[in-house]
Amino acid sequence: MITVYWVYPDGSEHKASVEEGVNLMEAAMANDIESIYGECGGSMACATCHVEVDESCGIKAGEPFAMENEMLDMVESGRTPTSRLSCQLVASPELDGIRLKVAW
Amino acid sequence: MTADLQTCPFSTGSLGARFRPYEQEGMFAFFKEARAQQPVFYNQELDCWVVTKKADIQAIFRDPDRFSASNSQSPVNAYSADVHEILVDGEFTREPTQANTDRPKHTRIRNIAGQFLNQKRFARYEDQIRELTRQQIATLPPTGTVDLVEALTYELPAKVLFLLVGVPQEESYRVKRWSDNTFNMIWGKPTEDDTIAGARGLVEYYDFCKSVVNDRLESGVEGDDYVSHLLRARNGDDAILTMNEIYSLVHGVLAAGHETTSNGSANLLWALLSDREQWDKLVADRSLIANAVEEGLRYMTPFITWRRMTLTDVEIGGVAIPAGATILMSLVSANHDEDSFEGPLAFDVERKNARQHLAFGNGIHFCMGAPLARMEMKILLEELTQRYPNMRLVEKDNIEWPLNMGFRGPVKLLVELGE
Ligand code: HEM
Ligand code: FES
């Protein structure tokens, strides 16, 4: 289990324990995180799982995959340097404590 | 309904025995009953397990470890030896590359295809798609009766796709015929004579795809089209993509990429015009159009069913299903599920969660053309509501649907253009 924080635009946050191996879009769905829909089911085809990694927490999620990159250019909420599709982030010990800003 | 079931002599087997997979008539009511009475049932005619609830279907789509996609485009009625011979002699070597392929091959190919088939790339074509749509609409008379399928929705999506793939527009009619044939060979109920002729059609179609790819290879791969993209990605390396995979990919997209959108568009127009109030809402407020497209896909799901095969023994909705079984997911039933959609059998362009349908599948195989299909249908409605706000259906009922267990779209859609 790792801990993941989702941070809403108003600064409020939702904390949850996530089993290793589960992707963070699925985890968001399981925790009813608002404005994450995971419409395509995790295939980098919808971008409705877009998050911004808050690197001030000291954790980096790495670079997006090539296909993810194309999708991120199209996100409605606007891409940022740490934008990722959360369906491509898989819970692992390295991500323990990660903070994800939910794009609105 | 319950009373009916109880009087039936095969009380538990009854749904499976009454299921008419090829017929569109009565389908909505049948699945409503299934969702309430027996949401997972066995059908002998197709030797498959039919799954009808949205949550179950979504879980299957998201579980490629236990459910293989390898059977998703296999002919429902197996080909005869004669048909096989024609295909072998004709070097019909089409191989699974996308929708009916499992990992790791699927991942390798999807990553390459996705560098082209994605929303960002599609967005570049918006102006050209609008122009093609206007040109096609301009061929309609100012008033009078026309068949919208023939005049509009049949060929237009093929022309759009040709723009992306890099095939001359003049070929669109021929390709439409070939892909009709392909769909009928896979999901229809052709007679043996039909399948013999159909098999020759498959061979011709595949030859055409090969020639498109080989011509491009000769004339240069610098272009902005899908075929050039695939050839550039391959860069002569079979470990990346083989030539036969590229032929197969082109064949796949040349069929999947327009037949579905043709049906989706005609279904949407039928639903809107069957309930004039809905059409009038769009005429009055164009900002509703994007959601109307989603509601059309939900209510009149173009691919009514989609298949998977169990890789191990599984349990779905409390029903035990052995390994190696065919699972028939009723996408239209998922999209009419009372647990997911309020008043699901009403067509409502203002429905809040219309977009949560499964018309494009879900998970690792989620339709790569979804953003394109959405854009095409939206543009079509924007242009049509503006040009012919008073359009009316000539006949609401007695619509002819294809005899097909996979896809659906009206064969003809006669309208009075109004003005
Ligand atoms: C209304 C129109 C369309 C509908 C209803 C539709 C439906 C579907 C469905 C149900 C699947 C299977 C998904 C799954 O197994 O989870 C699929 C896959 C696919 N579709 Fe579409 N489609 C449409 C338009 C298009 C267009 C326009 C294109 C091409 C530009 C396209 C390309 C594909 C491809 C390449 C796949 C295979 C993806 C994979 O296996 O990874 N589709 N589509
Ligand atoms: S869930 Fe669709 S891109 Fe992540």
Side-chain angles (χ1 to χ4, degrees):
Chain A
M1 285 286 186
I2 66 163
T3 304
V4 176
Y5 300 85
W6 284 272
V7 186
Y8 290 119
D10 66 359
S12 64
E13 58 183 47
H14 183 112
K15 175 182 170 183
S17 297
V18 179
E19 211 174 310
E20 279 174 39
V22 171
N23 77 55
L24 300 188
M25 175 276 287
E26 298 269 7
M29 302 298 285
N31 284 283
D32 283 329
I33 303 300
E34 276 177 63
S35 97
I36 291 199
Y37 301 108
E39 183 189 285
C40 74
S43 56
M44 298 186 261
C46 74
T48 61
C49 62
H50 173 217
V51 293
E52 191 185 327
V53 179
D54 180 358
E55 293 187 346
S56 71
C57 67
I59 297 168
K60 294 188 182 193
E63 292 300 312
F65 298 102
M67 240 174 88
E68 187 183 347
N69 220 356
E70 303 283 306
M71 284 310 290
L72 285 170
D73 280 343
M74 299 298 291
V75 291
E76 278 172 30
S77 44
R79 180 173 189 167
T80 73
T82 63
S83 279
R84 291 294 308 263
L85 296 176
S86 58
C87 66
Q88 301 306 309
L89 301 175
V90 178
S92 68
E94 299 81 64
L95 298 188
D96 193 9
I98 195 167
R99 292 172 67 86
L100 304 174
K101 289 195 203 166
V102 177
W104 217 245
Chain B
M1 222 176 264
T2 320
D4 239 349
L5 266 183
Q6 279 165 356
T7 55
C8 175
F10 325 92
S11 60
T12 53
S14 62
L15 274 166
R18 282 191 287 129
F19 182 40
R20 298 278 170 272
Y22 297 90
E23 285 160 34
Q24 320 279 337
E25 210 64 47
M27 184 189 291
F28 289 7
F30 175 82
F31 281 120
K32 182 178 176 189
E33 186 181 340
R35 287 189 301 277
Q37 307 291 340
Q38 202 184 350
V40 179
F41 63 86
Y42 178 75
N43 170 259
Q44 198 154 21
E45 181 181 359
L46 300 174
D47 183 19
C48 66
W49 297 85
V50 184
V51 182
T52 63
K53 295 290 285 180
K54 183 182 168 202
D56 289 335
I57 293 178
Q58 178 154 313
I60 294 170
F61 271 132
R62 291 194 183 182
D63 191 355
D65 288 337
R66 297 195 305 155
F67 297 92
S68 162
S70 57
N71 65 342
S72 61
Q73 289 166 308
S74 308
V76 175
N77 296 295
Y79 297 153
S80 67
D82 291 347
V83 167
H84 274 293
E85 201 178 302
I86 295 172
L87 296 180
V88 170
D89 290 349
E91 294 178 42
F92 180 76
T93 52
R94 184 189 170 178
E95 67 179 89
T97 50
Q98 297 204 286
N100 57 347
T101 309
D102 291 329
R103 299 161 303 168
K105 182 176 178 181
H106 172 261
T107 318
R108 165 173 58 90
I109 293 179
R110 183 159 172 127
N111 284 336
I112 297 170
Q115 300 282 327
F116 187 97
L117 301 178
N118 65 57
Q119 195 170 355
K120 188 169 146 194
R121 171 79 61 151
F122 297 148
R124 287 198 214 158
Y125 291 92
E126 178 160 0
D127 291 347
Q128 279 167 282
I129 295 174
R130 192 173 296 279
E131 193 46 44
L132 274 177
T133 308
R134 286 190 176 149
Q135 281 169 11
Q136 191 80 27
I137 291 177
T139 64
L140 304 185
T143 58
T145 305
V146 299
D147 172 8
L148 281 186
V149 170
E150 194 191 337
L152 211 54
T153 58
Y154 187 67
E155 254 186 286
L156 184 56
K159 291 185 178 170
V160 169
L161 203 76
F162 284 17
L163 203 65
L164 274 76
V165 178
V167 175
Q169 302 289 334
E170 303 79 71
E171 298 285 9
S172 68
Y173 201 75
R174 242 174 14 135
V175 170
K176 280 306 283 195
R177 290 288 170 215
W178 280 327
S179 55
D180 284 348
N181 173 52
T182 306
F183 276 45
N184 189 38
M185 291 286 281
I186 297 176
W187 290 286
K189 218 176 179 178
T191 62
E192 177 63 13
D193 282 353
D194 289 345
T195 56
I196 296 283
R200 297 202 178 96
L202 292 180
V203 169
E204 274 176 34
Y205 190 12
Y206 199 61
D207 281 344
F208 171 79
C209 298
K210 287 186 208 168
S211 72
V212 167
V213 176
N214 291 333
D215 289 354
R216 194 64 38 85
L217 197 56
E218 254 171 51
S219 64
V221 299
E222 295 76 33
D224 216 9
D225 55 276
Y226 187 48
V227 177
S228 298
H229 162 76
L230 294 173
L231 287 165
R232 276 200 304 271
R234 168 178 143 85
N235 197 16
D237 186 350
D238 280 347
I240 298 173
L241 273 182
T242 67
M243 285 305 282
N244 198 53
E245 283 167 352
I246 296 185
Y247 302 148
S248 303
L249 279 166
V250 170
H251 182 272
V253 87
L254 277 182
H258 54 83
E259 203 63 38
T260 44
T261 315
S262 286
N263 285 323
S265 307
N267 285 339
L268 175 62
L269 287 167
W270 176 78
L272 283 166
L273 293 169
S274 297
D275 184 349
R276 277 296 303 207
E277 209 185 306
Q278 302 285 326
W279 173 264
D280 290 340
K281 279 186 190 177
L282 302 193
V283 172
D285 180 0
R286 283 158 56 107
S287 72
L288 291 174
I289 288 178
N291 200 58
V293 169
E294 301 304 328
E295 179 66 348
L297 289 164
R298 183 197 71 84
Y299 180 70
M300 288 295 292
T301 314
F303 264 116
I304 44 187
T305 62
W306 200 251
R307 281 171 289 168
R308 286 290 187 264
M309 193 182 76
T310 52
L311 292 169
T312 62
D313 294 354
V314 299
E315 199 183 292
I316 306 172
V319 178
I321 300 174
T326 298
I327 305 289
L328 187 71
M329 301 177 282
S330 172
L331 302 187
V332 67
S333 179
N335 293 343
H336 290 178
D337 192 335
E338 295 74 10
D339 290 341
S340 305
F341 301 99
E342 217 181 297
L345 293 180
F347 175 76
D348 174 7
V349 296
E350 293 180 90
R351 182 183 295 281
K352 290 273 178 300
N353 66 346
R355 205 179 155 108
Q356 286 167 14
H357 59 71
L358 293 180
F360 292 120
N362 204 256
I364 64 169
H365 290 279
F366 183 85
C367 177
M368 302 193 94
L372 179 66
R374 286 175 159 140
M375 176 163 59
E376 287 182 54
M377 289 192 270
K378 177 167 165 274
I379 291 175
L380 179 65
L381 282 188
E382 284 170 354
E383 297 298 325
L384 268 184
T385 48
Q386 195 149 0
R387 176 73 183 81
Y388 296 106
N390 300 319
M391 189 156 76
R392 281 181 189 281
L393 272 189
V394 168
E395 206 175 13
K396 180 175 161 193
D397 305 310
N398 297 324
I399 295 281
E400 187 192 336
W401 306 98
L403 192 65
N404 198 289
M405 54 76 70
F407 69 97
R408 170 195 36 210
V411 175
K412 256 186 185 179
L413 199 59
L414 286 182
V415 299
E416 183 63 53
L417 291 170
E419 200 96 32

